[in-house]
Amino acid sequence: MDTIADILALLRPNIRSLKPYSSARHEFTGEASVFLDANESPFNAPLNRYPDPLQEELKEHISNYTGIDTSSIFLGNGSDEAIDLLIRSFCEPGQDRILIPEPTYGMYQVCADINGVECNKVGLNSDFSMNTEAMLAASQEPGCKLVFLCSPNNPSGNLLETGAIRTLLEESGSVVVLDEAYVDFSSARGCMDLLEDFPNLVILRTLSKAWGLAGIRLGMALAHPELIAILNKVKYPYNINSLSQEHALKVLLKGKEEKEAWVSSILEERLSLEKSLRTINMVEEVFPSHANFLLVRFLDSSLVFKALKQRGVIVRDRSTQLHCENCLRITVGSPAENGTLMETLKQLDTIKE
Ligand SMILES: *Cc1c(COP(=O)(O)O)cnc(C)c1O
């Protein structure tokens, strides 16, 4: 079991000793009416001012909403920013490694590649559950600093077992990053409750999916305050722009009712799309999903992909990924979008017969 000191010892030495850039707005606290400290324009208020570098007001609202203290919240330009910052903070290029299950979200590997950090993969079992023994063994190899887990997993849509996640938290000796981008669409509560017990746990959440706000780029990392302080030290000073902060505030002030209605509607659509897909002859398997997409195995996914594309319907081809032969990942859209998808598939089915 790791302490926060054990975790901070995993940081790259240059990051541990880093003295961060101190912006004008960092150094000033208190009330003032004349701001001549940041070389901003006096014109074009309010956008003439740099945004709050630590997004205090927004974090207060997120804290009220989640019950997580503001000191345990990092806000990023999408959760992708947090993924990159974690790799840059912990992994020495050419030396340290990250570990991911396979298949999973592509950004973990891409961020590792960009940073010159090796990415080790352990295959999920064929039902997409975690091979806990193999993951644990790989996570205990020297140089493995971060383990990325995604639950519900993209592209398979299943939840990872809490027991398996706990095992890695307890025994890996690494930071475990649990990406819960899709947790709002699942029956699970997510693992926020584990934050108190595990200083090596980082949970990623995003406004990009259930909240319908992919365009404003706002994601978050939840973790021990000392780990959050590291991310704040490494990030660009003004990483969340004023327009995104303001819009997110407005949305959170409105409350979660609208979001919850959207989620219910997507869950209803997911169920009916699942049923309709099972009536299609070319469909071999629809995998159970806890997310806002369905992984679907076709008899010939490349034929279906091309035919859909020709008719202006774009889905995600996952057929080259482990255990995903002939699989397409289909986002649950609006009733009209899902209707168009189904009509197109039915036409194809009859042409084939
Ligand atoms: C879509 C997605 C995200 C969201 O990333 P943002 O940068 O917050 O938009 C994160 N993780 C996974 C697994 C995703 O599929």
Side-chain angles (χ1 to χ4, degrees):
M1 184 67 197
D2 306 288
T3 65
I4 186 64
D6 297 329
I7 300 312
L8 298 179
L10 296 173
L11 287 165
R12 293 167 69 193
N14 62 317
I15 299 298
R16 221 178 305 144
S17 60
L18 178 73
K19 193 178 173 308
Y21 173 75
S22 185
S23 68
R25 286 300 129 77
H26 269 120
E27 287 178 357
F28 173 77
T29 52
E31 291 294 316
S33 52
V34 181
F35 289 101
L36 302 176
D37 59 339
N39 299 343
E40 295 152 335
S41 169
F43 306 113
N44 200 35
L47 289 178
N48 60 330
R49 298 297 173 196
Y50 280 105
D52 174 1
L54 290 173
Q55 308 99 20
E56 312 269 9
E57 195 182 357
L58 186 49
K59 281 181 190 166
E60 286 292 340
H61 286 276
I62 293 173
S63 175
N64 292 340
Y65 183 81
T66 57
I68 300 282
D69 193 81
T70 55
S71 63
S72 280
I73 303 173
F74 165 85
L75 296 184
N77 188 349
S79 38
D80 288 348
E81 182 184 4
I83 295 168
D84 182 57
L85 287 175
L86 285 161
I87 294 176
R88 272 200 285 150
S89 299
F90 283 97
C91 298
E92 198 63 43
Q95 184 182 313
D96 296 329
R97 288 172 291 121
I98 70 164
L99 173 65
I100 63 172
E102 188 184 9
T104 194
Y105 185 44
M107 275 308 283
Y108 315 133
Q109 160 117 49
V110 170
C111 277
D113 288 348
I114 290 170
N115 286 292
V117 166
E118 197 185 325
C119 177
N120 285 0
K121 295 180 198 163
V122 168
L124 293 171
N125 299 316
S126 57
D127 64 354
F128 299 112
S129 63
M130 202 196 306
N131 181 343
T132 314
E133 222 169 280
M135 277 294 277
L136 184 60
S139 72
Q140 290 169 334
E141 294 281 319
C144 178
K145 296 286 188 73
L146 298 169
V147 180
F148 284 91
L149 301 175
C150 184
S151 180
N153 188 45
N154 177 2
S156 49
N158 61 306
L159 288 162
L160 298 178
E161 258 187 295
T162 313
I165 297 168
R166 282 191 85 104
T167 301
L168 286 169
L169 282 165
E170 280 163 7
E171 298 176 45
S172 67
S174 313
V175 175
V176 176
V177 185
L178 181 62
D179 189 339
E180 296 188 332
Y182 297 102
V183 76
D184 297 87
F185 302 105
S186 86
S187 50
R189 298 193 50 237
C191 288
M192 273 195 316
D193 294 347
L194 295 180
L195 283 169
E196 279 193 31
D197 296 333
F198 295 103
N200 59 333
L201 173 62
V202 180
I203 291 183
L204 302 181
R205 294 280 183 103
T206 180
L207 296 191
S208 296
K209 306 286 156 66
W211 290 88
L213 288 172
I216 73 169
R217 311 302 305 124
L218 197 76
M220 62 193 100
L222 309 173
H224 190 285
E226 291 194 49
L227 209 159
I228 294 298
I230 299 291
L231 299 182
N232 283 331
K233 181 165 96 157
V234 178
K235 76 178 182 72
Y236 288 131
Y238 303 111
N239 61 325
I240 312 288
N241 72 68
S242 308
L243 299 174
S244 293
Q245 289 193 45
E246 194 186 318
H247 191 86
L249 258 177
K250 209 164 67 185
V251 168
L252 289 176
L253 281 170
K254 261 198 308 191
K256 57 186 172 183
E257 288 71 28
E258 191 177 36
K259 175 209 115 180
E260 283 175 353
W262 290 341
V263 168
S264 306
S265 147
I266 289 168
L267 294 186
E268 261 175 55
E269 277 298 303
R270 185 177 78 193
L271 188 64
S272 82
L273 190 58
E274 228 177 304
K275 281 187 194 152
S276 316
L277 282 165
R278 293 212 168 97
T279 68
I280 301 287
N281 295 322
M282 300 175 304
V283 168
E284 207 165 70
E285 187 168 5
V286 183
F287 291 87
S289 171
H290 284 85
N292 66 338
F293 56 80
L294 290 168
L295 188 70
V296 184
R297 176 166 284 138
F298 291 88
L299 294 174
D300 183 347
S301 65
S302 136
L303 181 142
V304 174
F305 183 82
K306 283 186 204 135
L308 285 175
K309 191 169 140 194
Q310 229 171 30
R311 292 159 175 81
V313 179
I314 311 299
V315 298
R316 194 88 157 118
D317 183 1
R318 297 285 82 178
S319 61
T320 59
Q321 304 218 329
L322 183 67
H323 307 314
C324 297
E325 301 80 22
N326 278 312
C327 285
L328 303 177
R329 193 195 69 197
I330 302 176
T331 306
V332 179
S334 66
E337 289 172 318
N338 304 333
T340 307
L341 170 84
M342 285 313 304
E343 261 172 50
T344 315
L345 288 175
K346 278 178 197 154
Q347 276 172 13
L348 275 180
D349 239 14
T350 40
I351 295 167
K352 284 214 66 188
E353 272 162 3

